[in-house]
Structure formats: structure tokens, C-alpha cells
Amino acid sequence: MCRELSLSSREYEIAIVGAGPAGLTAALYAGRAMKRTVLLEAGIPGGELLNTETIEDYPGFASITGPDLASKMTEHALSFGAEMVPARVTAIGLDADGRKRIEVEDGEPYFAQAVILTAGGQPRKLGIPGEQEYAGRGVSYCAVCDGAFFKGDHLAVVGGGDAALEEAVFLTRYASKVTLIHRRFEFRAQPLLVQRARANPKMEFLLDTVVEEIVGDGQRVERLSLRHLSDGASSDLAVGGVFVFIGFLPNTGLLEVHADHDAQGYYLTDQNMQTSVPGVFAAGDVRAQLTRQVTTAVGDATTAAMAATKLVEEPVAVAATA
Ligand code: NAP
């Protein structure tokens, strides 16, 4: 049975933090369940979709651009009544009465009975000399955003996962050549993506190799200092730019209280997507799981929104299944 609620303008039943595919899906389901729902997002909705050229593994769309899918998801999510508010969340705390207090950069906090964390993450950095100095001046973490600035250049891509292989092939449309530099001989990426990259005549591979320094002329990147791991030999590679795709760091630092997480900082959840903090759910790239696809993000978020809805309506029933 629904509880009678008297809610002020910043009080919601469900608050969702981050409007990527997981946040948008959670908003869709929470809105459709007629819960008073706010979706807090600092930037443009879409999350990692906005950094992805083409998606061809989202059922129902043989091929769709990331931004197109983001805009379709946003329109659909908000059609059921969830409110999207532009706000950068800075902290999430628990009040004594169990309400979640969501602090934002500019303005008063929001309050909710349940929170769904869908804030995604940040690209992992190499942490080598020159990386920070040349960020935006030849060092990039987004091929879709920056690829077109490198027409005719020889580019390097660092990484051996799905993102590196996929984005390296994307960059061949602009670059004269793309050298993929990976620290092992084996790839973490799906075999299909490796096969496509290997078949591309503009692709070249430097395996068992790490980048030790990004060197430039003070204005732009000019070359990479490399070390080959098996024999320890060093070499230089002249490039116009370097794209780094070595994984993701989840945005899991907002909670003021401890929530269980794995060694990489991803939240551990139960089958309802509830973290170890009652009433705090996690979905998408912030959650520990085998893979991080758009499909898994929307699946997680569906469960999280249904469980959050149930918790708002019947708190005892959800606590008992956790
Ligand atoms: P990832 O799968 O974690 O792969 C990261 C890659 O970077 C690994 O090859 C790793 O090497 C390498 N690496 C990590 N730290 C490094 C360092 N300090 N120096 C050099 N290399 C380093 O990350 P991702 O490719 O960003 O993918 C993240 C998630 O998104 C995955 O679950 C992936 O499946 C998913 N995704 C899917 C698609 C798709 O299906 N189309 C596209 C993009 C991303 P090691 O292998 O040696 O550890």
C-alpha cells in the first residue's frame, strides 16, 4: 500500500544520480511506477553513449549512433513524469530518519527515500610524465569528441580492451595510421573487435609495450617514449596525438557512509541492486559485474528502480529480500 506523502519541492520518493543509460532507465521505470522521481545530472544526459560513435549491440537497433540512442532514451525516460534537474551532486548522506540527503554544488540539498547511484565513471589515466601537460593538446580520452582534430596524423591508442580496439578503428577514418600500444600480447577485448582492428590496413600493433612518457614541444604532443617489456628496450614513436583507453574509474566517492565495494571501487550489490546501505541502490558502470555494456546498465537499472519503488511502498518487504 502507498504511504501518504507530503513532499516539499526538494523532497522526492526516488532520487537518481547520473543520467547515462542506467540513470535514464531508472527514471523511466520509477516515473512509470508513479513515484515522485528526480534525476540529477550535471551535464548532457547520455553518459558514455555520448562518447561512442556507433552502437551495434543494443537489441532492436542494428546500428545507431551513441548520441542518437542517448536522445531517444532521454525523451522516453522523461515521458513518464520523472523530473530531470541540472545539478552536480557533491555528497550523499543519511539523515537520522533514514532519508537520503543529496547535496548539490549550487543550492539546497535534495531529499529522497531511496537513491539510485548511476553516476558512471571517469577514464583511467596512465599517470606518466606529459599526460596531464598535454591533455587537450594531443592527449585525449574520447575519440568521438577529438578524432576529427587529427586528420592525416599518425595517432597512438593505448589499451587492449573493447574501448581501445573499437576506438582505434574509429580513429582510422581521420588518421593516416593508428598504432595500438598494449602492455600484453593477449587482448582483453572481444575477439570480433580484435579481428576487425587486425583487418584494417591503417592499423598497426605494438604489443608487450608501455608508454613511459608523452613528449611535446611545449604546445603539442610530438612523440611517445616506449619501453618493450620482454627485452627492456626503449624506442620513440613520432605521433600527432595519443588516445588513452585503459579502463574506467567508477564515480563511487559520493556516499558519506561506507558501502561495500570491490578492490577497484565498484559497488557490490545484492540481487535487487541494493548496496550494503539500505535504500541506496547502484546500477551501470558503478556496480561490480562481469561486463559493462549499455544492455547490462539498463538491466541493472530496471531492477534497481523496481526494488526502490517497492522499498518506498513497502520498506519491510524489500529489506527482507536483501
Ligand atoms: P577494460 O576492459 O578494463 O580494458 C582496459 C585495458 O587497458 C586492458 O587491456 C588493460 O590491460 C589496459 N590497461 C589498464 N591499465 C593500464 C595501464 N596503466 N597502462 C597500460 N594499459 C593499461 O576497459 P575498457 O576497454 O575501457 O572497457 C570497460 C568496460 O566497457 C568493459 O566491460 C568493456 O567490455 C565495456 N565496453 C564495451 C564495448 C562494446 O562492447 N562495444 C565498448 C567499450 C567498452 P590488461 O589487459 O593487461 O589488463
Side-chain angles (χ1 to χ4, degrees), residues 48 52 54-57 123-128 158-167 181-190 193 209-211 244-248 266 285 289-294 296:
E48 282 302 299
T52 308
T54 307
I55 290 161
E56 49 184 35
D57 53 4
R124 187 192 299 276
K125 309 285 190 298
L126 285 163
I128 56 172
V158 185
D162 286 344
L165 274 288
E166 211 167 61
E167 302 306 326
I181 302 167
H182 177 38
R183 64 185 178 184
R184 291 193 294 146
F185 285 109
E186 299 77 29
F187 292 100
R188 197 174 287 273
Q190 302 164 44
L193 300 180
T209 300
V210 292
V211 183
V244 180
F245 298 107
I246 59 167
F248 219 58
Y266 292 96
D285 286 351
Q289 57 184 307
L290 176 66
T291 187
R292 295 187 180 80
Q293 309 290 322
V294 186
T296 53

Side-chain angles (χ1 to χ4, degrees), residues 5 24 40-41 43 48 50 103 167 246 297:
L5 287 167
L24 291 167
L40 300 161
E41 167 60 55
E48 282 302 299
L50 302 175
E103 308 277 355
E167 302 306 326
I246 59 167

Side-chain angles (χ1 to χ4, degrees), residues 13-26:
E13 292 173 290
I14 298 175
I16 301 162
V17 179
L24 291 167
T25 305

Side-chain angles (χ1 to χ4, degrees), residues 113-124:
Q113 289 160 269
V115 173
I116 305 176
L117 302 173
T118 51
Q122 312 292 330
R124 187 192 299 276

